[in-house]
Amino acid sequence: MHRRTLLAAALAAPVGAVVGASAAQAHRPSRPPAVIGLPDGFCPQGITRGSGTKAYVSSLGDGAIHCVDLRTGGGMPLVAGSSGGQATGLAFDTSCRIWAGCGTMGGAAVYDESGTCLAMYPLGGNVHGVAATSGKVFFTDADQGKVYCVGLGRHGQLPGSEGVRTLALPRGLGDAGACNKGVAVAWNGCLIIAQAAAGRLYAFDPVTRAAKRIDTGRASVAGADGLLLRGNTLYVVRPGGDSVSKFRLSHDLSRATPVARIGDADLDCPSTIAPFGGHLYAVNARFSTPPTPNTEYCLVRLPD
């Protein structure tokens, strides 16, 4: 791993602290850290922006969630992990709650920003990607041709089990073995879904249940995991490589035109990304490295 001294400094600083800065320096505009350390052995997977400068990172290894300050690089545990636990995709809703997919445990968990668990929802399958709107939270299933939807109540209230729906996916998007992972919500309410094994992008309307494949031309999205949509710019994270693919989506969601590939020397099998100002932070999942309690992990800053 590169920049080990930066990682050590970041892990030593609490969230909200300015590492190595005087009071005068703390008020000067500065670039966010190039690398933000995560706990050794953390096995990160998902990331989502929280309130202010905070972001949350999930652990595929034990279901823990770690809080980091993207301005300073400081960090602290938010949710403790447990043996056999998993946390995959994350999303932050308009009520300042953190939604976590629970992978092969087949459910979803909801936390407030203090780390208190507010609700658990059994969904089924292998729950992976998460995307939240003001009224609904959607989850992909990496093993089955389904999307799960949790409908929020008035003023964003958390529902009981009656608020959970399973949406069967049509042919193509619902193909067996396609491995639906990343998900993002487009401007028209459609879901953009990445198929890791099939190497395809789809637009899915959760109201009509219609789906159409998004043409990416000659650009490959094989192995795609996390998605991030900013305006009409779609970022696709492919853990098998060392870069993030940037596309421009057409208004009707029929085409994704390749724009650029964003890389960094410190990228090592990124899984997901989150925005911060004019930058992106990628989770270095390091899937090609066998995890141990001492394996180093971090977030890497990228230009957008």
Side-chain angles (χ1 to χ4, degrees):
M1 295 284 286
H2 298 276
R3 304 168 183 168
R4 179 59 183 168
T5 55
L6 288 175
L7 297 181
L11 286 171
V15 173
V18 179
V19 179
S22 67
Q25 289 172 325
H27 291 89
R28 296 176 186 169
S30 60
R31 290 168 65 90
V35 173
I36 296 177
L38 298 171
D40 287 356
F42 189 72
C43 298
Q45 166 64 42
I47 186 172
T48 189
R49 281 291 308 279
S51 60
T53 59
K54 290 184 289 188
Y56 300 102
V57 184
S58 62
S59 170
L60 192 61
D62 61 7
I65 297 178
H66 194 73
C67 177
V68 298
D69 189 319
L70 298 178
R71 180 176 61 88
T72 68
M76 61 183 293
L78 182 79
V79 175
S82 61
S83 178
Q86 287 186 350
T88 50
L90 297 178
F92 192 72
D93 71 13
T94 54
S95 297
C96 297
R97 295 177 299 224
I98 305 154
W99 293 75
C102 297
T104 56
M105 297 177 67
V110 192
Y111 304 94
D112 65 19
E113 288 198 278
S114 72
T116 299
C117 185
L118 304 176
M120 297 283 292
Y121 294 99
L123 300 175
N126 183 358
V127 182
H128 196 86
V130 189
T133 71
S134 59
K136 297 181 177 66
V137 184
F138 297 96
F139 302 84
T140 59
D141 189 317
D143 292 341
Q144 304 181 60
K146 301 175 181 178
V147 163
Y148 307 105
C149 175
V150 178
L152 305 178
R154 190 176 182 183
H155 306 304
Q157 292 176 329
L158 294 174
S161 58
E162 74 283 353
V164 179
R165 291 186 298 145
T166 298
L167 310 180
L169 300 177
R171 183 177 178 180
L173 181 56
D175 286 356
C179 193
N180 295 336
K181 284 194 170 182
V183 59
V185 182
W187 48 83
N188 59 359
C190 285
L191 305 182
I192 310 300
I193 297 176
Q195 297 185 307
R200 303 179 300 209
L201 293 178
Y202 269 87
F204 173 66
D205 188 327
V207 177
T208 66
R209 312 287 179 91
K212 63 181 177 182
R213 185 174 176 181
I214 300 173
D215 182 9
T216 60
R218 296 183 178 180
S220 174
V221 292
D225 194 343
L227 298 181
L228 172 65
L229 185 61
R230 303 182 79 182
N232 69 340
T233 300
L234 179 70
Y235 299 89
V236 180
V237 186
R238 299 171 62 197
D242 57 0
S243 63
V244 174
S245 298
K246 182 177 180 179
F247 294 88
R248 183 176 298 109
L249 277 177
S250 63
H251 184 72
D252 63 358
L253 304 181
S254 64
R255 299 184 312 280
T257 303
V259 175
R261 295 188 66 173
I262 306 167
D264 187 276
D266 284 310
L267 276 186
D268 185 0
C269 291
S271 57
T272 51
I273 55 173
F276 182 62
H279 305 276
L280 306 170
Y281 272 98
V283 173
N284 251 11
R286 305 193 69 197
F287 291 134
S288 62
T289 301
T292 73
N294 298 318
T295 303
E296 300 170 13
Y297 296 99
C298 65
L299 306 180
V300 177
R301 188 191 72 212
L302 303 173
D304 67 354

